[in-house]
PDB file of all heavy atoms in Angstrom:
ATOM      1  N   TRP S 156     -19.193  13.455 -26.432  1.00 97.00           N
ATOM      2  CA  TRP S 156     -18.813  14.801 -26.816  1.00 97.00           C
ATOM      3  C   TRP S 156     -18.720  15.663 -25.568  1.00 97.00           C
ATOM      4  O   TRP S 156     -19.261  15.322 -24.515  1.00 97.00           O
ATOM      5  CB  TRP S 156     -19.795  15.400 -27.830  1.00 97.00           C
ATOM      6  CG  TRP S 156     -21.128  15.770 -27.233  1.00 97.00           C
ATOM      7  CD1 TRP S 156     -22.211  14.959 -27.086  1.00 97.00           C
ATOM      8  CD2 TRP S 156     -21.480  17.031 -26.687  1.00 97.00           C
ATOM      9  NE1 TRP S 156     -23.240  15.651 -26.483  1.00 97.00           N
ATOM     10  CE2 TRP S 156     -22.809  16.931 -26.223  1.00 97.00           C
ATOM     11  CE3 TRP S 156     -20.806  18.239 -26.536  1.00 97.00           C
ATOM     12  CZ2 TRP S 156     -23.475  17.997 -25.619  1.00 97.00           C
ATOM     13  CZ3 TRP S 156     -21.476  19.306 -25.938  1.00 97.00           C
ATOM     14  CH2 TRP S 156     -22.797  19.170 -25.497  1.00 97.00           C
ATOM     15  N   GLY S 157     -18.019  16.775 -25.702  1.00 97.00           N
ATOM     16  CA  GLY S 157     -17.885  17.648 -24.555  1.00 97.00           C
ATOM     17  C   GLY S 157     -17.202  18.949 -24.904  1.00 97.00           C
ATOM     18  O   GLY S 157     -16.764  19.175 -26.034  1.00 97.00           O
ATOM     19  N   ALA S 158     -17.111  19.808 -23.905  1.00 98.00           N
ATOM     20  CA  ALA S 158     -16.481  21.112 -24.065  1.00 98.00           C
ATOM     21  C   ALA S 158     -15.909  21.538 -22.726  1.00 98.00           C
ATOM     22  O   ALA S 158     -16.340  21.066 -21.668  1.00 98.00           O
ATOM     23  CB  ALA S 158     -17.501  22.146 -24.552  1.00 98.00           C
ATOM     24  N   GLY S 159     -14.930  22.416 -22.797  1.00 98.00           N
ATOM     25  CA  GLY S 159     -14.315  22.886 -21.568  1.00 98.00           C
ATOM     26  C   GLY S 159     -13.720  24.265 -21.716  1.00 98.00           C
ATOM     27  O   GLY S 159     -13.524  24.775 -22.829  1.00 98.00           O
ATOM     28  N   GLY S 185      -9.946  27.059 -24.510  1.00 98.00           N
ATOM     29  CA  GLY S 185     -11.249  26.457 -24.715  1.00 98.00           C
ATOM     30  C   GLY S 185     -11.063  25.175 -25.504  1.00 98.00           C
ATOM     31  O   GLY S 185     -10.122  25.052 -26.291  1.00 98.00           O
ATOM     32  N   ASN S 186     -11.930  24.212 -25.288  1.00 97.00           N
ATOM     33  CA  ASN S 186     -11.816  22.977 -26.053  1.00 97.00           C
ATOM     34  C   ASN S 186     -13.194  22.396 -26.308  1.00 97.00           C
ATOM     35  O   ASN S 186     -14.126  22.593 -25.536  1.00 97.00           O
ATOM     36  CB  ASN S 186     -10.917  21.957 -25.333  1.00 97.00           C
ATOM     37  CG  ASN S 186     -11.547  21.429 -24.066  1.00 97.00           C
ATOM     38  OD1 ASN S 186     -12.438  20.597 -24.110  1.00 97.00           O
ATOM     39  ND2 ASN S 186     -11.070  21.897 -22.926  1.00 97.00           N
ATOM     40  N   VAL S 187     -13.294  21.726 -27.431  1.00 98.00           N
ATOM     41  CA  VAL S 187     -14.490  20.987 -27.807  1.00 98.00           C
ATOM     42  C   VAL S 187     -13.988  19.663 -28.359  1.00 98.00           C
ATOM     43  O   VAL S 187     -12.994  19.626 -29.085  1.00 98.00           O
ATOM     44  CB  VAL S 187     -15.308  21.724 -28.894  1.00 98.00           C
ATOM     45  CG1 VAL S 187     -16.482  20.885 -29.338  1.00 98.00           C
ATOM     46  CG2 VAL S 187     -15.756  23.074 -28.387  1.00 98.00           C
ATOM     47  N   PHE S 188     -14.627  18.572 -27.983  1.00 96.00           N
ATOM     48  CA  PHE S 188     -14.185  17.275 -28.505  1.00 96.00           C
ATOM     49  C   PHE S 188     -15.389  16.397 -28.790  1.00 96.00           C
ATOM     50  O   PHE S 188     -16.470  16.583 -28.242  1.00 96.00           O
ATOM     51  CB  PHE S 188     -13.240  16.568 -27.519  1.00 96.00           C
ATOM     52  CG  PHE S 188     -13.930  16.065 -26.281  1.00 96.00           C
ATOM     53  CD1 PHE S 188     -14.456  14.778 -26.237  1.00 96.00           C
ATOM     54  CD2 PHE S 188     -14.049  16.873 -25.166  1.00 96.00           C
ATOM     55  CE1 PHE S 188     -15.105  14.310 -25.099  1.00 96.00           C
ATOM     56  CE2 PHE S 188     -14.687  16.407 -24.017  1.00 96.00           C
ATOM     57  CZ  PHE S 188     -15.211  15.124 -23.992  1.00 96.00           C
ATOM     58  N   ALA S 189     -15.155  15.422 -29.653  1.00 96.00           N
ATOM     59  CA  ALA S 189     -16.163  14.405 -29.970  1.00 96.00           C
ATOM     60  C   ALA S 189     -15.425  13.136 -30.325  1.00 96.00           C
ATOM     61  O   ALA S 189     -14.389  13.161 -30.985  1.00 96.00           O
ATOM     62  CB  ALA S 189     -17.054  14.851 -31.111  1.00 96.00           C
TER      63      ALA S 189
END
Side-chain angles (χ1 to χ4, degrees):
W156 72 273
N186 69 76
V187 176
F188 71 91

